[in-house]
Amino acid sequence: MPKVTVDGVELDVPQGATVLQACEMAGKEIPRFCYHERLSIAGNCRMCLVEVSPGPPKPQASCALPTAEGQVIKTDSPMVKKAREGVMEFLLINHPLDCPICDQGGECDLQDQSVAYGRGATRYDENKRAVTEKYMGPIVKTVMTRCIQCTRCVRFAEEVAGVEDVGAIYRGENMQITSYLERAVGSELSGNIVDLCPVGALTSKPYAFEARPWELTKTLGIDMMDAVGTNVRIDARGRQVLRVLPRVNDDVNEEWASDKTRHHVDGLTRRRLDQPYVRVNGALQPASWGDAFAAIKAVNAGSSVAAIAGDMADCETMFAAKALVGALGSTLLEGRQTGLDYDVASLSAVNFNTGIAEAENADVILLIGTNLRWEAPLINTRVRKAAWKKGAKVFAIGAEKDQTYKVDWLGDDAALVAKLPAAALDALKGAERPLIIVGGGGLAVSGVHGAALALAKSVNAVKDGWNGFSVVHMAASRMGGLMLGYAQAGGIKDVVAAKPKLAFFLGADEVDFSAFADTVKVYVGHHGDKGAHVADVILPAAAWTEKDFTTVNTEGRVQRSDRAVFAPGDAREDWSIFRALADALGVSVGFDSFDQCRAAMIATVPALGVEGLADYGWSAPKLDAKPAKGPIPSPIKDFYLTNAICRASPTMQRCSDELIHGADFAEAAE
């Protein structure tokens, strides 16, 4: 470990560390625009200049200079101060003075660093350069006159997103950052370049001119758009959520978020259910809570009742519904609303056992029935990191899709899982850290789950210090629902076969409702989507930003989210709906408040009371060995419209039209 001195403080730094990292280890703040911890080093903004000796008698870029034994580094000398002021002066030469109308205002690196490290006045009186705006799609707004060519967006698109749609044209002072042929950036992670941009060149198009950062109330939450469990910050003003931004969690999402996570928020205020409804003479009519409860009581269902959880149901909601259904004498609970019926005798067999962060350390990867780029974009970035940076081989069985890295597609026949081609089988057997990922398409085909478990055993994918068998789920509610018992042996078919007189649909919109033609359907949800259209009774509930809740992601990580805003109108939090309904039906659910509900849930499933990875213990079940056959379907048809909130979002609808269906949108002249 080299020993260096930073502003008189001597310290040991890891071999290969840069001077910038050494300075940060010493507690010194080094300004930078182009450098980012998760991207390759560009060394082109020169803001991170420091004085280093031995070396040339001039400031040096600390981000691109490796540390060496005996270096003496000065971060606050007169030479460094003058050099940084000069760099800042050059950066501001062509930067427009439009902070009052810039959406980056108030959280802009250029503003902060010009105040801290820039000169007090300008000496420049020439004409400023102007650059035409570029079109990057419905997510990213561009004002490229502000661009300082730090190339963070270019490096992110190439290295993390894996979609080389952003690059530079021309040279010198004429250099411009643009998307390919000025088309929409074809990545489900494009919104991250807005966070990366240190100036105001790239901002959020849906959020443009909506608010200033100091107006917003910031709440820590967990995203419910997929099963990754992205850690987010919910920014709201009054009773409206205006944006969702990612938080840093190296074990889950690093510091990224998918475009669906970021920009579904405009759907939270549209198509909302804000009062109860009861179907009268074939038409839904507005009703009071008392009338809605009376209509449910009039069914006289007795114990013939069921609950089906949707993809965004949280653990407290599912527990409250389970308590009510149980108090009525039923055990008909199911969370796999689309008809999946895989075996859940062992939760470890349907868990992402490898861990999201550890997936990037695999050396041979087999994808079975998963479009990982759409099912879990932030797990796909880990697999891409394994393939692109560490040279892992990736094989895949299923419908062929671009995963942003090299994949050897073996075909889409489910029989291939049991009879893997020799090249893939030998690679898995010879791997030190093999990883088998089964997705929604694989789970939908009978026999694939068991064949994948048998394959994992044959290639020794599970061993001391490494569990290479992983299942990736699409629904945020899935693992929590399985822990709470929302799984019949035959899936939702068992619920249909029982012909319940009364069924509660907890935000479940993807169910085949024709199978429940003779059942009184009570929809407990927040959007007027598919479930509300067929419901006999609608009970308006809170969306994920409008309640405290617990959720479990696809790797079994228990996480908690806080309420950011209140539900609109007469909508209520889900647990309170079932508590009030229990009184109307003359039964007891055993709790009177949210805290009591959560405590009762934890008493039933203790793992839900401890934030962090739940320990399921590896115990692969002995599944039916009947061979799987037939094509493995693609699990998601449209990444941007997977749930009721997204389908209510104008931004998500436009993303779907443009990026999935290829629609052209004429841009108005500026």
Side-chain angles (χ1 to χ4, degrees):
M1 295 177 69
K3 184 170 290 186
V4 301
T5 303
V6 180
D7 290 343
V9 178
E10 195 175 84
L11 70 156
D12 295 322
V13 297
Q15 189 69 40
T18 63
V19 170
L20 187 150
Q21 291 169 324
C23 293
E24 291 192 331
M25 289 176 63
K28 300 296 180 180
E29 181 183 19
I30 304 297
R32 83 290 298 269
F33 291 112
C34 69
Y35 175 80
H36 191 277
E37 293 83 354
R38 301 186 195 277
L39 303 175
S40 61
I41 295 172
N44 55 14
C45 79
R46 320 309 287 181
M47 193 64 208
C48 62
L49 295 173
V50 296
E51 186 178 345
V52 181
S53 59
K58 63 178 183 179
Q60 299 190 61
S62 60
C63 69
L65 182 66
T67 53
E69 181 68 35
Q71 277 180 336
V72 178
I73 304 164
K74 296 180 181 178
T75 69
D76 55 3
S77 67
M79 178 197 290
V80 171
K81 184 175 185 298
K82 184 177 180 181
R84 289 176 180 170
E85 287 177 353
V87 169
M88 180 60 70
E89 201 167 5
F90 275 114
L91 288 175
L92 293 175
I93 278 177
N94 286 314
H95 196 81
L97 301 177
D98 58 358
C99 296
I101 62 162
C102 177
D103 277 309
Q104 198 88 322
E107 49 189 8
C108 173
D109 290 349
L110 188 63
Q111 280 183 332
D112 296 341
Q113 293 184 40
S114 64
V115 170
Y117 303 102
R119 286 169 52 90
T122 180
R123 298 176 290 178
Y124 189 75
D125 58 4
E126 305 295 328
N127 293 327
K128 287 180 178 282
R129 180 189 71 159
V131 180
T132 57
E133 308 311 345
K134 313 300 180 186
Y135 182 69
M136 290 192 178
I139 297 296
V140 182
K141 176 187 174 185
T142 65
V143 184
M144 300 313 291
T145 300
R146 301 170 185 158
C147 180
I148 62 170
Q149 287 91 37
C150 71
T151 69
R152 279 186 179 183
C153 54
V154 178
R155 284 174 284 146
F156 174 85
E158 178 184 357
E159 298 166 15
V160 180
V163 177
E164 298 181 10
D165 282 2
V166 182
I169 56 175
Y170 311 132
R171 301 174 67 185
E173 74 164 351
N174 295 318
M175 176 180 170
Q176 298 180 22
I177 303 294
T178 181
S179 60
Y180 179 67
L181 297 180
E182 293 199 34
R183 292 178 178 170
V185 179
S187 171
E188 60 289 338
L189 298 170
S190 64
N192 292 290
I193 64 178
V194 171
D195 289 349
L196 288 172
C197 185
V199 293
L202 304 176
T203 54
S204 170
K205 187 173 286 186
Y207 176 70
F209 307 124
E210 287 289 333
R212 288 299 195 184
W214 55 84
E215 300 175 332
L216 303 175
T217 301
K218 301 168 177 63
T219 308
L220 305 184
I222 304 298
D223 172 55
M224 297 292 279
M225 292 297 105
D226 58 30
V228 173
T230 302
N231 287 224
V232 297
R233 192 188 81 199
I234 306 163
D235 287 359
R237 182 178 59 194
R239 299 188 66 166
Q240 183 177 359
V241 175
L242 293 179
R243 65 178 180 179
V244 169
L245 299 176
R247 290 185 284 134
V248 176
N249 188 327
D250 288 332
D251 293 329
V252 182
N253 58 295
E254 296 180 287
E255 61 185 76
W256 317 125
S258 74
D259 290 348
K260 186 162 60 175
T261 295
R262 288 175 180 273
H263 294 297
H264 73 279
V265 293
D266 54 354
L268 288 168
T269 57
R270 292 170 169 85
R271 300 187 192 171
R272 286 304 301 266
L273 299 172
D274 58 1
Q275 67 181 88
Y277 290 85
V278 175
R279 192 173 295 277
V280 180
N281 297 325
L284 287 170
Q285 301 291 340
S288 67
W289 279 101
D291 292 340
F293 287 169
I296 296 171
K297 184 176 181 180
V299 177
N300 289 321
S303 62
S304 182
V305 60
I308 298 171
D311 290 351
M312 292 184 288
D314 58 273
C315 292
E316 284 82 3
T317 293
M318 290 186 284
F319 176 77
K322 177 182 179 179
L324 177 61
V325 170
L328 293 171
S330 174
T331 58
L332 286 175
L333 305 170
E334 183 54 64
R336 297 164 294 179
Q337 55 173 329
T338 56
L340 301 178
D341 61 353
Y342 47 83
D343 193 291
V344 293
S346 166
L347 285 180
S348 61
V350 291
N351 185 54
F352 200 90
N353 298 291
T354 310
I356 293 173
E358 280 298 307
E360 65 188 54
N361 294 321
D363 47 9
V364 177
I365 301 168
L366 174 64
L367 307 177
I368 300 175
T370 176
N371 181 1
L372 201 57
R373 185 174 168 185
W374 281 4
E375 289 184 71
L378 297 177
I379 295 180
N380 196 56
T381 61
R382 305 282 190 163
V383 174
R384 172 175 165 75
K385 199 181 294 186
W388 191 67
K389 286 190 174 181
K390 302 180 181 179
K393 293 182 179 179
V394 184
F395 301 91
I397 300 172
E400 193 166 330
K401 300 285 185 180
D402 176 19
Q403 298 298 314
T404 73
Y405 42 85
K406 183 180 178 181
V407 178
D408 187 351
W409 291 93
L410 306 176
D412 67 349
D413 188 354
L416 288 168
V417 182
K419 296 180 180 179
L420 211 58
L425 187 60
D426 292 344
L428 284 168
K429 285 183 176 179
E432 184 180 343
R433 294 178 299 278
L435 172 57
I436 297 171
I437 299 178
V438 183
L443 294 175
V445 179
S446 178
V448 168
H449 188 206
L453 282 165
L455 176 63
K457 184 176 181 180
S458 69
V459 300
N460 196 28
V462 182
K463 47 190 152 185
D464 288 343
W466 180 261
N467 189 327
F469 183 82
S470 293
V471 172
V472 61
H473 297 290
M474 298 174 284
S477 64
R478 186 71 76 242
M479 287 307 296
L482 295 178
M483 292 171 75
L484 286 165
Y486 274 74
Q488 301 294 307
I492 201 168
K493 292 189 292 290
D494 285 0
V495 179
V496 173
K499 296 182 179 179
K501 294 181 180 178
L502 179 66
F504 296 101
F505 295 89
L506 316 181
D509 293 290
E510 319 305 326
V511 178
D512 178 8
F513 290 102
S514 64
F516 293 90
D518 298 326
T519 300
V520 174
K521 296 173 281 293
V522 179
Y523 183 75
V524 185
H526 38 77
H527 276 73
D529 204 73
K530 301 173 185 177
H533 291 170
V534 300
D536 298 297
V537 179
I538 294 175
L539 304 180
W544 71 277
T545 55
E546 298 159 0
K547 56 187 172 182
D548 298 317
F549 64 85
T550 303
T551 185
V552 186
N553 76 350
T554 191
E555 64 176 345
R557 185 178 298 276
V558 179
Q559 301 183 105
R560 289 182 178 168
S561 183
D562 296 332
R563 179 178 60 199
V565 295
F566 289 94
D570 281 341
R572 296 290 183 267
E573 293 183 30
D574 309 68
W575 73 267
S576 65
I577 294 174
F578 291 107
R579 171 63 186 85
L581 184 55
D583 281 348
L585 297 179
V587 295
S588 172
V589 291
F591 54 82
D592 295 314
S593 67
F594 175 78
D595 290 339
Q596 291 178 5
C597 175
R598 176 173 281 178
M601 177 186 74
I602 293 171
T604 304
V605 184
L608 292 175
V610 182
E611 291 189 80
L613 285 174
D615 183 11
Y616 300 126
W618 175 251
S619 58
K622 295 180 180 179
L623 301 183
D624 190 351
K626 62 182 179 182
K629 59 182 179 179
I632 297 179
S634 180
I636 296 181
K637 292 182 172 59
D638 191 329
F639 170 74
Y640 297 99
L641 302 178
T642 53
N643 59 57
I645 302 177
C646 289
R647 288 189 285 268
S649 164
T651 302
M652 292 294 96
Q653 289 175 6
R654 172 149 177 176
C655 286
S656 172
D657 290 342
E658 188 166 355
L659 298 171
I660 305 296
H661 302 291
D664 289 326
F665 288 88
E667 289 296 302
E670 292 292 334

